Structures are given as C-alpha cells and as structure tokens.
C-alpha cells in the first residue's frame, strides 16, 4: 500500500470532517472504507492530524467491529447473525459461500481477496437472510444469490459494477396509522411550533408544554417522559445545548427506524428542529448505525435541501436568533453505542463505553453541554404533536401510553414488515394481522425485552404492560426456544463492552453454560446457576445491556423449561471442566502414568 495514498486519504477525511478529536471515528471509518482496513501507518497519520495520542486512536479503532486493523480482504462480507437470519438458513448460506470461495469464516483468504465474517444484526430481518459487502446491504439471500456474489468476487468485479438489483432494500409498510400516513410538508411543524410559542406568554416553553400534554413517552424502549427530559435540559444554564437523534437501531429484531430514515427523514429532522426550538439548542446530530451507512447520502441530501429552504442553519424559517444545524455521524458496528451515554461518548470520538450517572445527559452530555438523546420515532411523534396538537395525539393509545407504536414484525409470519398500531393492541391482534400461525412464542422488544408464550397473547403492547422499542419476533411450533435463548446469550457475550465485571464475566459464563447444556453435559445445578447469574447481572451491571442480558434465558426457562430439561443428562452436578482429560495431557507430556498422576491416586 502506497504511504502517499494513505496520507492523502487521511487528509481528505480530515478536510471533510475537521481536525477536532470528536471526528476520530469518522476519519477512521473513511480510511476503512477506502482500504478495507486501517493500517498502523494510517493510525499514526490520524493521530498526528487530530493531535491525539496513538493509544487513543488504537483504542478506538479496536473497539468498533467495522474498523479492521488487519487486512480484511478486498471484499469484506459480513453475514447478519440474528436469530431471524438463522431461521431463514443464513448459517448454511455462509458455509456455501465459504466453500465456493475456499475460505474459513473469519479468516481472510491468503490472496487477500475476501473475508467472510459474522456480525450480530444488520437490521433487515423482514428480508432475512442478509449481508453487507463492503458496507453495501444485500438482502433476501438464497443459494442462487450467494453463487452470483461468489462469481462476482472471484472475477474481482468492482462493487460499482455489480448488478444493481442485488442491492435493493425493500421497505414493507403493512399498516399505516397517523404517523406513517401523515403527509407533512417541510416546515409545517416548525411553523406550528412558532405559532404556539407566539400565542401566549410562555414563549418556547409552550412547545415543551404541548409535548408534556401529549404525554409522549420515548419510543426507544425504556419509555422516558420526553417532555420532562427536554424541560430538564432546557433548565440547565448553558451557552450551548445539543439535540441527538439515536438512529443506532441495534436491538435485534428492530428495523422501523430504517423505514423512518428512508421514507420519512423530513419528519425526523422536523422533530429534531422542534426539539431544538423547545430546548434552545443550536447543534444537532443524527447518530446513524454503521449498518445503515448506505442511507448516509440520502439523509445528507434531506439536510442540504432543508438548508436551501431555510429550515436548517441560521434564522430558521425566518426566525431571527433561531439557528440550528445537524450533522450525521456514522457508527461502526457496536450494539452498546445505542445506549444514550455510550452514544455520546462515541460521538465525541471515543470508545462507546456507557458513562457513570449522575450527571445525566440533560445536565452534562455532548462535550459537557446539556443534551437530549431521543429515538428516531420519538422525534417523528414530537413533530406531529406540534402540528396537530396534544389532544389529537392522545386520541390513539391508552391513558398511560398515548399515540401509536411502530412494530418491526419478523420471524414466522406471512407478512413481515412495519406495522403502526395504537398502543393497547394485543399480541394476538398483531399475530392475526401479520399472518402468523401455530405461534408458540413472541420475543417482544428484542433480546433485551420479553419473551412471552401462548398464555400471554392477550397482553397489550403498552408501557403499562408489554414495553417494546419495536421488535416483534414470531416463533412457531417448529422452533426450539432453548436454541433461541442460546443464540441471544451469545449475542450479549459478544456485544458486552467489557467495562464492568458482572457483565463481562456474567455474559460469557451464561453463553458457556448454554453451550454446555446444548452439548448434553448440563445438570439441574446449571439451570440454577443461570437463574442466579441473571439476577446478578440485573442488579450489578453498569448499564442496560448487562441488566437485560439474562432476560431471554430467564424468560425461556420459566416458559419453556422442558426444552432445557430434555438436554440435561445429569440431575446432579456435572463439572464444566474435565479435570481427568487435562491430567491425561499432563501425563503424556511428563511421561508419568503412576497412580499418583491419576485422580484419586496416591503420590
Ligand atoms: C445496550 C443498549 C442499546 C440501546 N440501543 C438503542 C437504540 O438503538 N435506539 C434507541 O433509540 N435507544 C436505544 N437504547 C436506549 C437509549 O439508551 C435511550 O434510552 C433512548 O435513545 C432514549 O430515547 P427515547 O426516550 O426517545 O426512547 C439502548 C439502550 C441500551 C442499554
Ligand atoms: S453492563 Fe456490559 S455493556 Fe454495560 S458497561 Fe458493563 S460491560 Fe459494558
């Protein structure tokens, strides 16, 4: 690799993103895109240009899965490894590709042509299985498509010359409600917010009051009260406040933010602008997950158009003093970066490790400024509340959960896709509408959410009953819920950032216990240990990832215990470590076979 090429690539990236340390991840990402890895010389150059210690550059590069620090092939293929991909045969397709390309999973080919790897979840489970090749998504994989991809790779066809139809991502809207059917024109909600602020004496506080009156709860999963979050940020004395849109969408099974960013990006940005007016912010970010890198240009085009229309930038919609603009930052493959404080760290160009709280982000967030972080869908709802009013918004939903919810429905059903339902809809109603039959379980809210069985299908999607960020994965009677839980245990172990011991060790122990049971070496004691570990993780972890990592195991153990029990061979204690096997190796190495070298023998 020509060092001059490397340098000019780094310089171009620094030119585009700036030389502040906050841009580190973006610069690394651009080098990665150009060379398919970030070689040590590039890291040195980046450290010099951004005036950072090399240890910081290396630390950040190693943290993110999509930044490769070793050559990863001219074509880097990442197979989505969510449970919905496996249900559609992704493992067999990966094997097929590896066989045809003569590579082992995870290892670059010797000629440096290709590397085929697995990644946790790409966000296309309505059209699974899927993969990324050099960050470009290909969905609806089958044997024929895999063969075409292999031929293109073996012929070293540049990605730009691959058939365009390979890359289409379909957006399947199965049910529209007030949010998805709204035909808001750019600026409508902003002008409605101005009118509201000008009507009484409250000024822009009236914008926040409308959000509070609508009782809007965050759509990212945890259901924080949006109006109070915004108000608490506004109250902080500061010369700068920040609005962040969490478009990380990493929860396996969720893809409704992808739809919003593809088809309703105007609405998302409108909502962010309304929030900026409400909290008096000038700076905004969309944190776009690395898996959705293909959407970057279209989102940037929306931002550029709005700048031309005077809806972003100085004096928005002719309002003197209302200056607000938005940058898009692209992530690089890390689930924990969806956690709001980890996301802010990542935006600052650091490793995405969740912060200690207090202080809350509303007090000290991005670069120490008061910051709000909200989900993509929350901003859409906020824009519509300004436009149509709180009363209109509350007409849908339940008293505690106003409005509608977008559900990403996938798994064993005839009509996967995005559905907009009023809060309060029952699981059974969703199952009927999406064409699910013989369903035994639904994973609601992804692996960090809740797994329910047939006896609970009359439960309601609502913050007072089943909370969900949007994932709704359906499993029919052909599925083995133990294997589903084992898969999720591996997901959490892989995605734990390793910062705190309960999560780092606990998630790894859980995945190993599940493997042990799967191999037929488990005992009753292991089931008990799983329950104990789940409680420990829940109580002692530093962030929500660790807190919820044991949920799928606890839920399936409670509801599908026979799936675990039929794998147990011993109803007593079965050691995880084979002591005699290890001693046998030592005996061979030392040439000893006397009684003292055996368990129970005497020296
Ligand atoms: C491990 C982890 C991953 C998360 N991922 C996301 C995500 O991808 N998108 C999101 O909106 N919230 C995610 N959250 C929740 C955020 O921390 C935060 O609560 C949310 O963005 C707030 O927005 P809301 O109030 O509009 O829901 C995640 C939380 C955790 C613990
Ligand atoms: S709980 Fe897990 S993901 Fe969260 S900080 Fe601790 S190690 Fe990292």
């Amino acid at each position: 690799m020509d060092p001059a090429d490397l340098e000019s690539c780094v310089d171009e990236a620094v030119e585009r993103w700036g030389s502040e340390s906050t841009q580190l991840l973006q610069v690394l990402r651009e080098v990665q895109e150009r060379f398919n890895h970030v070689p040590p010389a590039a890291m040195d150059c980046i450290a010099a240009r951004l005036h950072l210690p090399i240890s910081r550059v290396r630390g950040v590069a190693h943290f993110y899965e999509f930044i490769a620090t070793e050559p990863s092939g001219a074509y880097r293929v990442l197979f989505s490894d969510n449970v919905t991909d496996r249900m559609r045969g992704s493992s067999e397709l990966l094997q097929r590709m590896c066989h045809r390309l003569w590579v082992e999973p995870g290892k670059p080919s010797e000629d440096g042509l290709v590397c085929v790897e697995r990644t946790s979840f790409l966000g296309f489970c309505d059209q699974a299985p899927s993969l990324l090749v050099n960050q470009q998504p290909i969905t609806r994989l089958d044997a024929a498509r895999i063969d075409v991809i292999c031929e293109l790779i073996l012929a070293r066809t540049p990605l730009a010359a691959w058939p365009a139809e390979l890359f289409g991502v379909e957006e399947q809207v199965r049910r529209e409600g007030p949010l998805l059917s709204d035909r808001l024109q750019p600026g409508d909600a902003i002008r409605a917010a101005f009118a509201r602020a000008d009507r009484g004496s409250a000024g822009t506080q009236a914008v926040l009051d409308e959000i509070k009156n609508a009782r809007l709860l965050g759509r990212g999963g945890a259901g924080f009260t949006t109006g109070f979050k915004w108000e608490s940020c506004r109250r902080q004395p500061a010369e700068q406040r920040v609005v962040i849109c969490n478009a990380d969408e990493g929860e396996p099974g969720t893809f409704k933010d992808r739809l919003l960013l593809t088809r309703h990006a105007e609405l998302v940005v409108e909502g962010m602008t309304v929030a900026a007016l409400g909290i008096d912010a000038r700076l905004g970010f969309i944190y776009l997950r690395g898996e959705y890198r293909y959407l970057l240009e279209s989102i940037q085009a929306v931002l550029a158009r709005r700048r031309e229309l005077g809806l972003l930038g100085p004096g928005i919609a002719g309002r003197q003093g209302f200056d607000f603009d938005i940058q898009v930052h692209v992530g690089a493959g890390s689930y924990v970066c969806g956690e709001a404080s980890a996301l802010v760290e990542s935006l600052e160009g650091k490793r995405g490790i969740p912060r200690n709280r207090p202080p809350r982000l509303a007090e000290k967030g991005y670069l120490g400024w008061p910051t709000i972080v909200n989900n993509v869908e929350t901003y859409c709802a906020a824009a519509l509340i300004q436009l149509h009013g709180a009363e209109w918004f509350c007409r849908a939903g339940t008293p505690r959960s106003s409005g509608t919810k977008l559900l990403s429905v996938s798994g064993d059903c005839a009509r996967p896709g995005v559905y907009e339902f009023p809060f309060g809809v029952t699981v059974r109603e969703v199952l009927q509408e999406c064409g699910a039959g013989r369903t035994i379980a639904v994973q609601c809210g992804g692996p960090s959410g809740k797994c329910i069985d047939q006896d609970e299908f009359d439960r309601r999607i609502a913050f007072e009953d089943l909370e969900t960020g949007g994932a709704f994965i359906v499993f029919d009677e052909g599925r083995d819920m133990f294997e589903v839980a084992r898969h999720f245990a591996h997901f959490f172990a892989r995605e734990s950032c390793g910062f705190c011991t309960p999560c780092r060790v606990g998630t790894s122990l859980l995945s190993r216990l599940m493997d042990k049971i799967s191999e037929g070496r488990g005992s009753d004691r292991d089931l008990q240990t799983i329950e104990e570990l789940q409680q420990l993780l829940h109580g002692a972890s530093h962030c929500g990832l660790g807190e919820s990592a044991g949920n799928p195991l606890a839920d399936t153990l409670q509801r599908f215990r026979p799936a675990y029990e039929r794998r147990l061979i011993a109803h007593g204690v079965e050691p995880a470590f084979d002591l005699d096997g290890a001693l046998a190796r030592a005996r061979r190495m030392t040439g000893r076979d006397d009684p003292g070298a055996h368990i129970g023998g005497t020296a």
Side-chain angles (χ1 to χ4, degrees):
M1 190 174 303
D2 185 350
D5 269 0
L6 268 184
E7 254 186 55
S8 72
C9 175
V10 172
D11 287 341
E12 278 166 31
V14 172
E15 173 85 28
R16 198 167 8 261
W17 292 98
S19 59
E20 292 84 25
S21 59
T22 47
Q23 307 303 334
L24 173 56
L25 180 57
Q26 301 312 305
V27 175
L28 282 168
R29 200 178 49 71
E30 288 214 355
V31 176
Q32 165 75 37
E33 278 183 19
R34 172 88 176 273
F35 297 102
N36 269 348
H37 78 292
V38 183
M43 289 202 229
D44 291 337
C45 185
I46 293 170
R49 299 292 192 278
L50 301 192
H51 311 288
L52 287 169
I54 185 68
S55 55
R56 160 96 176 262
V57 179
R58 285 197 197 121
V60 170
H62 282 107
F63 184 84
Y64 294 93
E65 189 188 353
F66 288 180
I67 308 290
T69 52
E70 305 272 328
S72 58
Y75 299 91
R76 188 176 187 204
V77 180
L78 293 171
F79 268 81
S80 184
D81 194 23
N82 186 28
V83 69
T84 44
D85 296 290
R86 292 207 176 191
M87 285 157 77
R88 300 266 175 279
S90 63
S91 299
E92 294 74 21
L93 293 174
L94 179 139
Q95 290 306 330
R96 184 181 182 100
M97 180 177 270
C98 287
H99 183 72
R100 294 191 74 108
L101 296 173
W102 283 79
V103 287
E104 268 183 66
K107 287 194 183 160
S109 58
E110 278 178 17
D111 58 0
L113 178 66
V114 59
C115 186
V116 180
E117 299 167 61
R118 288 190 170 91
T119 188
S120 291
F121 164 64
L122 289 181
F124 307 106
C125 30
D126 52 336
Q127 42 211 289
S130 63
L131 58 74
L132 289 181
V133 53
N134 294 355
Q135 292 298 109
Q136 291 301 316
I138 303 183
T139 67
R140 297 192 192 287
L141 294 172
D142 56 20
R145 274 161 98 77
I146 289 291
D147 293 350
V148 170
I149 296 169
C150 290
E151 275 164 33
L152 290 163
I153 290 176
L154 290 170
R156 297 174 187 260
T157 314
L159 213 59
W162 287 27
E165 66 266 18
L166 269 182
F167 295 106
V169 173
E170 281 172 47
E171 296 302 338
Q172 309 186 79
V173 179
R174 302 289 187 177
R175 187 183 216 270
E176 284 192 346
L179 193 152
L180 291 179
S181 63
D182 204 275
R183 300 289 171 254
L184 163 139
Q185 292 302 307
D188 279 357
I190 299 172
R191 282 184 283 273
F194 285 163
R196 183 163 285 117
D198 294 342
R199 246 193 321 266
S201 55
T204 51
Q205 173 64 36
V207 173
L208 300 191
D209 289 343
E210 202 63 17
I211 301 288
K212 279 163 59 184
N213 292 340
R215 303 190 305 276
L216 175 62
L217 301 179
R219 282 7 188 186
F224 294 114
T225 316
T226 307
F228 286 108
K229 190 198 283 192
W230 291 11
E231 193 165 62
S232 131
C233 183
R234 177 191 165 103
R235 284 208 182 122
Q236 305 301 317
E239 60 184 57
Q240 174 71 287
R241 294 187 190 80
V242 186
V243 171
I244 297 176
C245 173
N246 188 342
D248 199 49
E249 194 159 63
E251 188 68 41
T254 322
F255 48 86
K256 48 98 188 168
D257 292 344
R258 187 195 78 212
L259 165 75
L260 293 174
L261 294 162
T262 307
R263 292 225 189 132
H264 303 265
E266 287 280 1
L267 186 59
V268 180
V269 177
E270 191 94 2
M272 291 178 71
T273 314
V274 160
L277 181 70
I279 68 164
D280 190 16
R282 272 175 288 132
L283 184 58
F285 291 100
I286 297 175
Y287 187 93
L288 181 68
R289 72 186 310 230
E291 291 81 348
Y292 296 168
R293 160 69 184 82
Y294 73 102
L295 291 176
L296 176 63
E297 283 77 18
S298 64
I299 297 173
Q300 278 173 336
V302 168
L303 298 178
R305 201 163 52 237
R306 291 179 70 92
R307 281 185 202 108
E308 276 170 27
L309 293 172
L311 296 173
L312 275 181
I316 288 179
R319 190 86 161 190
Q320 279 292 315
F322 179 29
D323 311 334
F324 175 67
D325 213 328
I326 296 174
Q327 296 172 23
V328 189
H329 269 224
V330 184
S334 161
Y335 167 64
V336 73
C337 283
E339 196 277 341
S341 68
L343 183 148
V344 170
E345 288 285 294
S346 181
L347 268 180
E348 290 183 358
K350 300 181 195 151
R351 295 183 300 153
I353 293 181
R355 290 183 180 174
N356 286 325
R357 272 174 275 190
R360 291 171 303 121
L361 296 175
E363 298 159 65
K364 260 176 181 274
Y366 179 75
L367 298 179
W369 292 317
T371 298
I372 55 166
V373 178
N374 280 107
N375 177 253
V376 177
E377 188 184 345
T378 312
Y379 286 116
C380 294
L384 295 181
I385 290 167
Q386 291 307 315
L387 185 60
H388 302 294
E391 200 200 289
W392 167 86
F393 187 76
C394 292
R395 274 184 219 148
T398 70
R400 262 196 64 197
S401 309
S402 51
T404 58
K405 182 77 194 87
L406 300 191
L407 296 180
S408 315
V409 178
S410 67
D412 293 315
C413 63
R415 292 179 290 280
V418 176
Y419 291 72
E420 181 178 2
F421 281 104
F423 272 114
V425 65
T426 64
V427 170
R428 197 179 301 285
E429 284 163 336
V430 180
L431 288 172
Q432 267 160 12
E433 200 153 329
C434 72
R438 300 173 183 277
T439 307
I440 56 163
V442 174
Q443 186 73 38
C444 204
S448 66
K450 190 107 199 115
C451 178
I452 58 165
D453 67 13
Q454 286 160 325
D455 294 342
E456 299 163 282
F457 288 171
D458 289 321
R459 290 183 67 177
R460 294 183 182 278
I461 308 282
F463 291 102
E464 58 269 38
D465 190 354
L466 274 176
E467 283 184 7
T468 171
F472 189 99
I473 310 177
V474 183
F475 299 99
D476 72 15
E477 60 191 9
R479 305 295 170 189
D480 179 345
M481 294 312 290
F482 169 84
E483 278 304 325
V484 172
R486 185 165 82 93
H487 179 84
F488 287 149
H490 279 273
F491 165 76
F492 283 115
R494 184 153 68 181
E495 295 296 336
S496 164
C497 79
F499 170 76
C500 65
T501 311
C503 173
R504 185 182 63 247
V505 178
T507 53
S508 152
L509 285 177
L510 280 179
S511 63
R512 276 197 264 160
L513 277 169
M514 292 298 277
D515 287 348
K516 183 184 164 196
I517 296 170
S518 158
E519 288 156 14
R521 295 187 295 110
S523 70
D524 282 345
R525 179 76 189 99
D526 293 317
L527 301 191
Q528 206 181 318
T529 309
I530 287 175
E531 281 162 345
E532 287 163 8
L533 276 171
Q534 187 265 335
Q535 280 163 23
L536 180 113
L537 273 162
H538 190 72
S541 294
H542 177 64
C543 85
L545 186 152
E547 279 167 24
S548 52
N551 290 1
L553 279 60
D555 285 351
T556 46
L557 249 177
Q558 195 188 340
R559 294 166 176 82
F560 299 95
R561 203 175 177 93
Y564 286 73
E565 285 179 341
R566 67 170 172 264
R567 290 175 159 88
L568 305 182
I569 47 152
H571 289 271
V573 177
E574 176 73 16
F577 179 71
D578 178 5
L579 182 57
D580 196 46
L583 279 176
R585 191 155 168 259
R587 282 194 295 269
R588 273 199 309 280
M589 286 165 69
T590 55
R592 279 186 61 182
D593 201 23
D594 54 285
H598 288 264
I599 299 172
T602 45

